[in-house]
Amino acid sequence: MSRIAYVNGRYVPHAQARVHIDDRGYQFGDGIYEVCAVRGGHMIDNGPHLDRLERSLREMAMAMPMSRAALECVMRETIRRNLVRDGIVYLQMTRGVAPRDHAFPKHPKTQIVVTARNAKPHAAAMVEDGVKAIVQPDIRWGRCDIKTISLLPNCIAKQAARVAGAYEAILVDENGVVTEGSSSNAWIVTQDGKLVTRPPSNDILNGITRLEIIRIAKALGLAFEERAFTLDEMRRAREAFVTSASSFAMPVTQLDEAPIANGKPGTLALRLRAAYLAHMDQQAGAA
Ligand code: PMP
């Protein structure tokens, strides 16, 4: 089956999908994006994802190129045309095409690209054994709350993880405090059984999966604390995991070369993962 991309009002074969070389996304990384999980052909948590998209646009002083309802139609149609059952839909908006100049163009026209693809289910071993993560310095900018396509520091950290045979890089600031993963939010369960993740601020992306896991944790009555934690605490934690639209909740059982706790996925991590999968299935079934 040939893949189809949506580019500025047209559905085109993926291999022929193009943007102009003067697109500010290409020139400056001047754009934003969203990734929504697709389950059973349905978008998961598209409402919160589009809320965050609109927030990113506002923070970047970019205009929404179409109504939210129209955008949802395009996302659904892209999923449909690509026969996506379980995977992701990707949406990117840039500040448009203009002669190269750092300052914003006077009359920018937001450019939009939507793609969708199936994703392989996570290997059973990843969930049963947990994954390895490595520690990397957080060298990003001061507005990590905006879901910008300028992802070079994240790419560098993820590449370091790949080279080390790890799934994710855990980013740590100059004070030894964990910010988040290179493409995920970071969580621990402390030795006294408290679930901890960092509160939203300019230092992290407020993950939509993170928000749903918080909702689930509260509904389950788990002891939960929204606060920053140090790398040292993470190394000594009873459990660790990361969350994102493509990882769901993924147990982390090794940090650099040392196991976390006994090196096995934690009970809370697995419980929250199962509850999150049920949340996705429920949305897919109800849609
Ligand atoms: N932090 C970063 C830096 C990310 O790139 C992502 C995934 N895009 C997340 C957190 C998790 O966000 P979400 O749960 O919305 O996928």
Side-chain angles (χ1 to χ4, degrees), residues 33-35 49 52 140 144 147 151 154 171 180-185 204-211 243-246:
Y33 75 108
E34 272 300 326
V35 178
H49 277 283
R52 185 172 67 185
R140 299 174 302 163
C144 297
K147 200 163 168 63
L151 286 170
N154 307 63
L171 306 179
E180 58 183 333
S182 69
S183 63
S184 60
N185 290 112
I204 66 164
L205 184 76
N206 193 0
I208 303 305
T209 320
R210 172 192 179 281
L211 291 170
T243 57
S244 75
S246 48

Side-chain angles (χ1 to χ4, degrees), residues 148-171:
T148 166
I149 58 170
S150 302
L151 286 170
L152 190 50
N154 307 63
C155 295
I156 291 169
K158 187 74 91 185
Q159 175 60 16
R162 286 289 175 279
V163 169
Y167 177 77
E168 181 56 303
I170 299 295
L171 306 179

